[in-house]
Amino acid sequence: MSSLAPADRLRVVVVDDHHLFRAGVRAELGEACDVVGEAATVAEAAAVIADARPDVVLLDVHLPDGGGVAVLHGLAAAAAPPAVLALSVSDAAEDVVPMIRAGALGYVTKTINTDDLIAAIRQVAAGDAYFSPRLAAFVLQAFSAPPTAVADEDPLETLTPREREVLHHLARGYAYKSIAHRLGIGTRTVESHVRAVLRKLQLTSRHEVSHWAATRGLLEDDPGDAADPDAGSA
């Protein structure tokens, strides 16, 4: 395993909702970096990062309560935010591109070996972008290609039928677990659909979704809707 000289050891926070994965990363980086904090949710990440002041945050894409993009949005307001390296099982464009647009300086998959992960951490800490080789091409394409969207296209038309169902409930204040129960799908699947809705509509929060839907007359009374006892929590 590669190792850094003590004076060069970087301070790292690992944000992932799987304890065993965080423990594995800590063990792998132990000789090269100081893992100064761990978090499993968006809220925990905000507190740990503010307290630990790391050089680099290793950030999973699929976190409860908004995902890695929500953590990045929170960091955007910081005076001196740390470099963020996304570390995920997903190499799908719909996960990669929003993370980079939200401020991640690099993106690697969890199949990366330890030496390459250490190299990636060093590179983003130095202010340079780093991507797994197979991701680099479509990231470059996504950020260099001219916009292809038609100006008059209705954003609602870009949503799949399932995404529209999720939008319908999300805009009315239903929590993720309530939406999952109503639609007969898993909470993680709801989170994935919500990320897609936010990305396609170019919105950043539940409040913006509700406002967007209301201004388009999509929140007319629906007899099938009732107050959600879990509203306000995802």
Side-chain angles (χ1 to χ4, degrees):
M1 179 189 302
S2 300
S3 61
L4 295 167
D8 297 326
R9 290 174 69 87
L10 295 170
R11 295 166 55 81
V12 175
V13 163
V14 182
V15 182
D16 191 284
D17 60 342
H18 292 93
H19 170 75
L20 288 178
F21 179 78
R22 298 197 309 271
V25 171
R26 178 184 285 273
E28 290 296 312
L29 297 182
E31 295 182 12
C33 306
D34 291 325
V35 177
V36 295
E38 299 179 12
T41 67
V42 172
E44 286 180 8
V48 170
I49 293 169
D51 182 62
R53 295 177 171 270
D55 300 301
V56 176
V57 176
L58 294 182
L59 178 60
D60 188 24
V61 175
H62 301 125
L63 294 172
D65 304 330
V69 168
V71 175
L72 286 162
H73 286 162
L75 290 176
V84 174
L85 177 64
L87 181 61
S88 175
V89 295
S90 172
D91 60 3
E94 58 265 29
D95 286 324
V96 178
V97 173
M99 289 290 284
I100 304 305
R101 291 195 187 280
L105 197 50
Y107 194 114
V108 297
T109 61
K110 290 182 178 180
T111 57
I112 193 171
N113 65 50
T114 301
D115 285 342
D116 287 343
L117 178 57
I118 292 170
I121 291 170
R122 286 173 164 171
Q123 192 155 318
V124 298
D128 297 321
Y130 187 102
F131 301 99
S132 294
R134 75 178 303 270
L135 304 182
F138 76 70
V139 169
L140 179 62
Q141 181 179 16
F143 283 86
S144 62
T148 57
V150 177
D152 294 334
E153 182 180 13
D154 182 356
L156 193 61
E157 296 299 321
T158 68
L159 303 182
T160 66
R162 179 63 87 187
E163 288 167 357
R164 291 192 191 193
E165 289 180 314
V166 170
L167 168 66
H168 172 95
H169 290 90
L170 186 69
R172 286 165 172 75
Y174 285 90
Y176 289 178
K177 63 182 179 181
S178 296
I179 297 173
H181 176 73
R182 281 173 160 254
L183 299 183
I185 57 179
T187 302
R188 280 296 188 104
T189 302
V190 172
E191 292 175 3
S192 179
H193 287 314
V194 169
R195 287 193 300 273
V197 169
L198 293 177
R199 172 174 54 81
K200 291 180 179 181
L201 301 184
Q202 299 184 36
L203 303 173
T204 61
S205 69
R206 179 193 295 271
H207 174 75
E208 288 188 3
V209 168
S210 295
H211 178 72
W212 186 92
T215 59
R216 286 160 178 77
L218 302 179
L219 295 184
E220 296 178 0
D221 291 339
D222 185 338
D225 283 337
D228 180 9
D230 296 316
S233 66

